[in-house]
Short mmCIF file of all heavy atoms in Angstrom, two decimals:
data_model
loop_
_atom_site.label_atom_id
_atom_site.label_comp_id
_atom_site.label_asym_id
_atom_site.label_seq_id
_atom_site.Cartn_x
_atom_site.Cartn_y
_atom_site.Cartn_z
N THR A 81 78.64 85.78 104.96
CA THR A 81 78.87 86.30 103.59
C THR A 81 79.45 85.25 102.66
O THR A 81 79.59 85.53 101.44
CB THR A 81 79.85 87.49 103.65
OG1 THR A 81 81.07 87.05 104.19
CG2 THR A 81 79.31 88.62 104.47
N LYS A 82 79.81 84.08 103.18
CA LYS A 82 80.50 83.03 102.44
C LYS A 82 81.73 83.59 101.81
O LYS A 82 82.15 83.27 100.68
CB LYS A 82 79.53 82.49 101.34
CG LYS A 82 78.28 81.79 101.84
CD LYS A 82 77.47 81.21 100.75
CE LYS A 82 76.35 80.33 101.25
NZ LYS A 82 75.47 81.07 102.18
N ALA A 83 82.51 84.40 102.63
CA ALA A 83 83.71 85.03 102.13
C ALA A 83 84.76 84.02 101.71
O ALA A 83 84.97 83.04 102.40
CB ALA A 83 84.26 85.97 103.22
N THR A 84 85.49 84.32 100.62
CA THR A 84 86.62 83.53 100.13
C THR A 84 87.89 84.36 100.31
O THR A 84 88.94 83.76 100.27
CB THR A 84 86.39 83.20 98.72
OG1 THR A 84 86.26 84.39 97.91
CG2 THR A 84 85.16 82.38 98.46
N ASP A 85 87.72 85.72 100.47
CA ASP A 85 88.93 86.57 100.51
C ASP A 85 88.75 87.59 101.55
O ASP A 85 87.61 88.14 101.72
CB ASP A 85 89.15 87.15 99.13
CG ASP A 85 89.37 86.22 97.97
OD1 ASP A 85 88.37 85.58 97.54
OD2 ASP A 85 90.57 86.14 97.53
N LEU A 86 89.87 87.93 102.22
CA LEU A 86 89.88 89.03 103.20
C LEU A 86 90.82 90.10 102.69
O LEU A 86 91.94 89.76 102.29
CB LEU A 86 90.37 88.52 104.56
CG LEU A 86 90.35 89.53 105.72
CD1 LEU A 86 88.93 89.87 106.09
CD2 LEU A 86 91.08 89.01 106.89
N VAL A 87 90.38 91.37 102.67
CA VAL A 87 91.16 92.48 102.15
C VAL A 87 91.33 93.55 103.26
O VAL A 87 90.37 93.93 103.83
CB VAL A 87 90.46 93.15 100.95
CG1 VAL A 87 91.40 94.13 100.25
CG2 VAL A 87 89.99 92.06 99.92
N LEU A 88 92.58 93.95 103.48
CA LEU A 88 92.80 94.96 104.50
C LEU A 88 94.08 95.72 104.27
O LEU A 88 94.90 95.36 103.38
CB LEU A 88 92.91 94.23 105.87
CG LEU A 88 93.50 92.88 106.02
CD1 LEU A 88 95.04 92.99 105.98
CD2 LEU A 88 93.08 92.17 107.27
N TYR A 89 94.21 96.83 104.94
CA TYR A 89 95.36 97.70 104.83
C TYR A 89 96.12 97.66 106.15
O TYR A 89 95.70 98.07 107.17
CB TYR A 89 94.90 99.17 104.57
CG TYR A 89 95.92 100.19 104.59
CD1 TYR A 89 96.85 100.38 103.60
CD2 TYR A 89 95.96 101.10 105.69
CE1 TYR A 89 97.77 101.39 103.65
CE2 TYR A 89 96.87 102.11 105.74
CZ TYR A 89 97.85 102.26 104.77
OH TYR A 89 98.76 103.26 104.75
N GLY A 90 97.30 97.04 106.11
CA GLY A 90 98.04 96.78 107.29
C GLY A 90 97.55 95.58 108.03
O GLY A 90 96.34 95.24 107.95
N ASP A 91 98.40 94.92 108.79
CA ASP A 91 97.99 93.62 109.40
C ASP A 91 98.25 93.52 110.85
O ASP A 91 98.05 92.43 111.41
CB ASP A 91 98.69 92.47 108.63
CG ASP A 91 100.18 92.51 108.77
OD1 ASP A 91 100.73 93.58 109.20
OD2 ASP A 91 100.83 91.48 108.54
N VAL A 92 98.61 94.63 111.57
CA VAL A 92 98.96 94.43 112.97
C VAL A 92 98.02 95.13 113.93
O VAL A 92 98.01 94.79 115.08
CB VAL A 92 100.38 94.97 113.27
CG1 VAL A 92 101.49 94.17 112.47
CG2 VAL A 92 100.50 96.45 112.88
N ARG A 93 97.11 96.07 113.49
CA ARG A 93 96.20 96.57 114.39
C ARG A 93 95.24 95.53 114.81
O ARG A 93 95.03 94.52 114.18
CB ARG A 93 95.39 97.73 113.72
CG ARG A 93 94.51 97.34 112.54
CD ARG A 93 93.78 98.52 111.91
NE ARG A 93 94.75 99.41 111.23
CZ ARG A 93 94.37 100.45 110.51
NH1 ARG A 93 93.10 100.74 110.35
NH2 ARG A 93 95.28 101.24 109.90
N ARG A 94 94.69 95.64 116.04
CA ARG A 94 94.00 94.51 116.69
C ARG A 94 92.88 93.89 115.81
O ARG A 94 92.77 92.68 115.66
CB ARG A 94 93.48 94.99 118.03
CG ARG A 94 92.64 93.91 118.76
CD ARG A 94 92.25 94.32 120.18
NE ARG A 94 91.46 93.34 120.76
CZ ARG A 94 90.99 93.42 122.06
NH1 ARG A 94 91.31 94.49 122.78
NH2 ARG A 94 90.29 92.41 122.54
N HIS A 95 92.03 94.72 115.29
CA HIS A 95 90.92 94.18 114.49
C HIS A 95 91.48 93.39 113.37
O HIS A 95 90.86 92.33 113.01
CB HIS A 95 90.09 95.43 113.85
CG HIS A 95 89.23 96.10 114.91
ND1 HIS A 95 89.67 97.30 115.49
CD2 HIS A 95 88.06 95.78 115.39
CE1 HIS A 95 88.73 97.67 116.33
NE2 HIS A 95 87.73 96.83 116.32
N HIS A 96 92.47 93.85 112.73
CA HIS A 96 93.00 93.13 111.52
C HIS A 96 93.72 91.84 111.90
O HIS A 96 93.55 90.84 111.25
CB HIS A 96 93.96 94.03 110.74
CG HIS A 96 93.21 95.15 110.00
ND1 HIS A 96 93.80 96.02 109.14
CD2 HIS A 96 91.88 95.47 110.02
CE1 HIS A 96 92.92 96.85 108.67
NE2 HIS A 96 91.74 96.53 109.17
N ALA A 97 94.51 91.85 112.94
CA ALA A 97 95.27 90.62 113.36
C ALA A 97 94.29 89.57 113.78
O ALA A 97 94.47 88.38 113.42
CB ALA A 97 96.16 91.00 114.53
N GLU A 98 93.23 89.94 114.46
CA GLU A 98 92.19 88.94 114.90
C GLU A 98 91.43 88.38 113.68
O GLU A 98 91.09 87.22 113.63
CB GLU A 98 91.35 89.49 115.95
CG GLU A 98 92.05 89.80 117.23
CD GLU A 98 91.23 90.47 118.34
OE1 GLU A 98 90.10 91.02 117.96
OE2 GLU A 98 91.59 90.47 119.53
N ALA A 99 91.10 89.24 112.69
CA ALA A 99 90.41 88.86 111.51
C ALA A 99 91.31 87.90 110.69
O ALA A 99 90.76 86.96 110.14
CB ALA A 99 89.96 90.06 110.67
N ILE A 100 92.60 88.18 110.60
CA ILE A 100 93.47 87.38 109.85
C ILE A 100 93.50 85.93 110.45
O ILE A 100 93.53 84.96 109.76
CB ILE A 100 94.89 88.02 109.80
CG1 ILE A 100 94.89 89.20 108.84
CG2 ILE A 100 95.91 86.99 109.34
CD1 ILE A 100 96.13 90.00 108.85
N ALA A 101 93.57 85.86 111.82
CA ALA A 101 93.52 84.61 112.43
C ALA A 101 92.29 83.76 112.08
O ALA A 101 92.34 82.59 111.79
CB ALA A 101 93.63 84.73 113.95
N ALA A 102 91.12 84.44 112.13
CA ALA A 102 89.88 83.81 111.72
C ALA A 102 89.89 83.38 110.26
O ALA A 102 89.38 82.32 109.93
CB ALA A 102 88.72 84.74 112.02
N ALA A 103 90.41 84.25 109.39
CA ALA A 103 90.51 83.91 107.99
C ALA A 103 91.39 82.73 107.68
O ALA A 103 91.08 81.87 106.85
CB ALA A 103 91.00 85.13 107.17
N ARG A 104 92.53 82.73 108.36
CA ARG A 104 93.41 81.56 108.15
C ARG A 104 92.82 80.25 108.55
O ARG A 104 92.92 79.16 107.95
CB ARG A 104 94.76 81.81 108.92
CG ARG A 104 95.64 82.81 108.22
CD ARG A 104 96.91 82.90 108.97
NE ARG A 104 97.82 83.88 108.29
CZ ARG A 104 98.61 84.76 108.93
NH1 ARG A 104 98.63 84.77 110.25
NH2 ARG A 104 99.37 85.57 108.25
N ALA A 105 92.03 80.32 109.71
CA ALA A 105 91.41 79.07 110.20
C ALA A 105 90.31 78.57 109.24
O ALA A 105 90.08 77.33 109.30
CB ALA A 105 90.76 79.36 111.58
N THR A 106 89.82 79.36 108.45
CA THR A 106 88.76 79.00 107.50
C THR A 106 89.22 78.91 106.02
O THR A 106 88.41 78.77 105.11
CB THR A 106 87.50 79.92 107.64
OG1 THR A 106 87.91 81.24 107.54
CG2 THR A 106 86.80 79.66 108.98
N GLY A 107 90.50 79.13 105.82
CA GLY A 107 91.09 78.97 104.51
C GLY A 107 90.90 80.10 103.52
O GLY A 107 90.99 79.90 102.35
N LEU A 108 90.66 81.33 104.02
CA LEU A 108 90.44 82.49 103.13
C LEU A 108 91.80 82.91 102.56
O LEU A 108 92.87 82.73 103.18
CB LEU A 108 89.84 83.66 103.89
CG LEU A 108 88.29 83.69 103.89
CD1 LEU A 108 87.69 82.56 104.65
CD2 LEU A 108 87.82 84.99 104.47
N THR A 109 91.75 83.49 101.36
CA THR A 109 92.93 84.18 100.79
C THR A 109 92.98 85.56 101.42
O THR A 109 92.00 86.29 101.45
CB THR A 109 92.82 84.31 99.31
OG1 THR A 109 92.73 83.02 98.75
CG2 THR A 109 94.01 85.02 98.69
N ILE A 110 94.12 85.97 101.92
CA ILE A 110 94.32 87.17 102.71
C ILE A 110 95.18 88.15 101.86
O ILE A 110 96.30 87.90 101.54
CB ILE A 110 95.04 86.95 104.06
CG1 ILE A 110 94.19 85.97 104.87
CG2 ILE A 110 95.26 88.24 104.83
CD1 ILE A 110 94.92 85.38 106.08
#
Side-chain angles (χ1 to χ4, degrees):
T81 61
K82 297 181 172 58
T84 59
D85 299 75
L86 183 71
V87 188
L88 36 77
Y89 171 74
D91 63 344
V92 297
R93 65 184 68 175
R94 179 174 177 178
H95 288 98
H96 287 185
E98 291 174 345
I100 287 173
R104 284 184 179 142
T106 49
L108 272 65
T109 299
I110 301 166

